[in-house]
């Protein structure tokens, strides 16, 4: 099969400070579909277009951030195979039994060298296409929320991004799409990696503290949907970090904004196709501003400092 | 690696009746980049964003149509491996030496049961990203042509589409994304297949005559670019078959139009992501109109009859 | 004042065959705001953004069509003044008392030479901006309907379009924006007129029968909203006549479609600004197709024949 | 006539520090059409879609800013009539002879109480529609520049904006569309005025120094064109002040950016229709941020301080 192994970003468990307020916000402002609550009080969501049962899990905690980010793999055999390869690479793995997350099969959990917890899983209940598998209608947006298409990627901050990249590229089959170099011209400040033909399925930024979240990103279908998202954010007094603007890196259009707990989220649109035979693009330190925010070619203060 | 095997549509060799007129039209109206001419008189093009040397090859002939459609595979080992698998499946293959197409490596050529010639290849010269691999600028459209992003897919007509589908799915790793059933509810009228996470990398329609081309498709970046394409077509007196409109199948927006030789081309935008773990969507015979042209829910006469 | 006299299209009274079904359709599919019912059973609507009480009035009847189309004028003095000017031009006028239409002041009603009933009025209750007159929020679309911005114009069919044009231009201060000539190169097949700086506030087509409606048009904010409208139409099995496409005349993008009674409506976007110092644009008979439907440059059969 | 008196913004004479560099920039980056040079060395431009000979005049000077802003009026009679009315209002007027600006008739020049020079004129040579007055084609963007549709409005800073507003509304027939109040809830910080049905044809902001320019604005046709403009700015290292974003006031989308001399320009799209029978919208001091920049609801430092 042409696309095998790790398929795509599948779920993110996000820590929130007030789960009731957050659940309302993720439903009414972000426009996700509520998919239930589990015995431990976690609240589940998916986007309208996603066919698997859940992609965003909120957990009440006393500090914001992301507990783990999970990727769906092709099947059970792939899961076992990648588990073995991770161990062979020196990564300690753990098995989380099926059902620990609602409607989700067994997960292989491990820490990458930046301290983040990543998961792989092969099974999550298919709850169907929004308008059905037979003669589906177009799924026109008909509610007040932003209503993204899918969970798209995350960008995480930590120390050993070289080690983390090796896990993704050497073990999990990801490809390097773009990178930003530090002043020395050698060390990576950041790398963008894909497991499919998307511009990125994860990104890593070098940072003094491990296990930090920069943002979880959701895909929108057009630049006009990005404008609608910004309007909805303002109307709901959502704190916008940056945007609407464009990234030089990936060419995608973007808004960075914060959920009520201070977790940065992104609505992202576009981004070119990248295949594993292609060369990566490199940004030098003097042009990192244009790489991150193409229009004004300057990093804002928050980009390198505000994480959860 | 997560994306391996067959990566993407790479080239289409199209027959034209007047190669000089056609070369001008593909450059000035469609907005492709001319990439040279070979000893046999064939004329080569790529889109601005494509990094490989060529994707469209025009050949002078006395009837329109498509000579062959080629897919790029991950590497030389993959090429040899797929060649063996094709033969094991009973498909006779042929090796075309490197250089027979400009800047293109050795190709494995074979006929699928619908009579079409398909090729695989692992090497085509990287001529670079339009704005470079280091600190690239945005590639803003600055000319009169339509300027598509990439060669996207083709739709071909022939008899044994079941046999052809088997070659693509069982040997080459493609996945079934959508299908249309005939009145009997069992036989496929048409199938849409992907080798990546795109909505389709090839589509097949059952037809009385083999080796027929319905259209070669080029990707655009937005619905507004589709409008601009239609304006350019009208201004240049390009014959439009249908559109701008939307397909129910894939959800993509579209214009079908004809090159000066009568070959149908498409400018296509959008289409949802499809991964190999997902269920295919089925259209029943009574709703085939909405599947093909979502807005007016009717097939036009030309869809099932005009092919080259 | 720079803009005085006749300001804009204000209301259209449309005949429908089943008022309950139609009222649901105009609310849920077209996305208008229901504004009440009067003693005679007429049902009132406005768009979300319109500040005056009503713009669309549905009346149950045994045949479809438009009873009258009304323009708002600057003030009561203007109304009286234009009444006198109409009479001086030989147009018989009638006064409809305030309140005959809900929340609407006295109207001056008259027939133009094509047999259509046109009205002028100076007062209609201001029900406010959708998000208020103080610190208004953006009015983001949050429901299932098409949700147009405003009543934009109408296109009417009748015999003496020259006489009708004279009433609009010589008495009511409209300006000629575009025209289509018949084969003789002299006679107007159709004219587009504006009372503001819009591309048209009314259009007239020469036709064998008087007092016919071609379409009532509603403005949308973008080409992407036109696509959304087409998706909503298909989903709701609305019969689409033509579109999405573009008019050569006015440059606007368009969909022609039918309400449940067979009245043709339009969702229209764009159109250039036209000021009274500008020359009109002329379309010759051989290019009328491109003038009406720019992309395929052909009139469809329905354009000249299907009216209500 | 419904639209009479002052029709629209017609020309702006802008001071630049290096006229050769600026002429290249206005042509290649902003995408205006060069229309010649006069004996005094001034360089003339129009947008592609404008039919009058010129709308932007560059004059070499040792400081940036705007010399004057001109409005086209309906005809010579209107010009004389408005001249008299200005004088009756106590405004001293001056006649600039025809031909002083290329292809432009006699102008009535006067200073408004904020110290700015405003002009009225009735004649400027019609150089035709970009694609002709007979069977015109769509004018598809086919060059590298931003290519705005028209000169849209200007925003000027000065002391007595109440007096200036009176000239525009009481003498020239403009209408108040929106206003921002200072902390006292009474004094206007700023007002937006229209002479047509556009959201604004001029705007005034209260400021300590007279005769200052905040920006000259050019209209774009879509939010996607705003994105393209921002991409072109970055590619050409144009300094962007703010945007792409949306104004709460007018609802228009915007980029503020600087020409090579430091004059702020705007690319603007959208904005609702405003007619003289409509109530103005008021923004209170605590929400001025959302009024100016709707998405982040904050004024940037430059908005109230950087003028030329």
């Amino acid at each position: 099969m042409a696309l095998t192994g790790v398929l795509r970003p599948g779920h993110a468990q996000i820590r929130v400070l007030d789960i009731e307020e957050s659940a309302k916000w993720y439903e009414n402002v972000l426009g996700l579909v509520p998919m239930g609550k589990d015995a431990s009080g976690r609240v589940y969501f998916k986007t309208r277009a996603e066919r698997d049962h859940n992609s965003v899990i909120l957990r009440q905690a006393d500090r914001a951030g992301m507990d783990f980010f999970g990727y769906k793999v092709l099947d059970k055999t792939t899961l076992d195979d990648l588990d073995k390869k991770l161990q062979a690479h020196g990564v300690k793995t753990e098995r989380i039994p099926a059902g620990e997350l609602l409607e989700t099969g067994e997960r292989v959990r491990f820490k990458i060298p930046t301290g983040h917890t990543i998961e792989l899983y092969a099974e999550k209940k298919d709850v169907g296409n929004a308008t059905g598998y037979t003669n589906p209608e177009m799924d026109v947006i008909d509610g007040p929320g932003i209503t993204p298409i899918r969970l798209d990627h995350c960008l995480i901050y930590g120390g050993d991004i070289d080690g983390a990249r090796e896990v993704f590229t050497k073990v999990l089959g990801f490809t390097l799409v773009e990178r930003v170099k530090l002043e020395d011209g050698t060390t990576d400040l950041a790398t963008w990696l894909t497991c499919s033909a998307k511009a990125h399925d994860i990104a890593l930024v070098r940072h003094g503290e491990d296990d930090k979240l920069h943002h979880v990103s959701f895909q929108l279908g057009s630049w006009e949907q990005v404008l609608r998202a910004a309007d909805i954010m303002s109307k709901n007094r959502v704190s916008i970090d940056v945007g609407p603007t464009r990234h030089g890196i990936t060419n995608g259009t973007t808004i960075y904004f914060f959920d009520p707990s201070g977790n940065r989220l992104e609505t992202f649109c576009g981004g070119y196709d990248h295949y594993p035979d292609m060369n990566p693009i490199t940004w030098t330190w003097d042009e990192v501003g244009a790489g991150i925010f193409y229009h004004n070619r300057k990093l804002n203060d928050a980009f390198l400092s505000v994480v959860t």
Side-chain angles (χ1 to χ4, degrees), chain A residues 76-145:
Chain A
K76 195 70 175 53
T77 308
T78 303
L79 188 69
D80 293 340
D81 179 51
L82 290 172
D83 189 357
K84 271 176 221 142
K85 285 184 175 154
L86 283 163
Q87 292 178 41
H89 189 77
V91 177
K92 203 180 137 192
T93 65
E94 181 189 3
R95 293 273 175 157
I96 312 294
E100 196 276 336
L101 279 180
L102 286 187
E103 306 287 2
T104 305
E106 190 183 28
R107 289 126 69 202
V108 171
R109 178 183 285 180
F110 54 98
K111 274 199 193 315
I112 54 174
T114 49
H116 298 85
T117 301
I118 301 294
E119 299 187 343
L120 306 177
Y121 65 93
E123 288 162 1
K124 199 176 289 254
K125 189 185 174 186
D126 174 13
V127 292
N129 185 35
T131 58
Y133 283 130
T134 306
N135 305 328
E137 299 295 336
M138 213 55 50
D139 187 26
V140 177
I141 293 180
D142 58 5

Side-chain angles (χ1 to χ4, degrees), chain A residues 189-207:
Chain A
L189 166 65
T191 51
W192 282 256
L193 312 174
T194 186
C195 60
S196 58
K198 284 169 57 197
H200 51 344
D201 287 308
I202 196 161
L204 308 161
V205 171
R206 191 176 302 274
H207 187 67

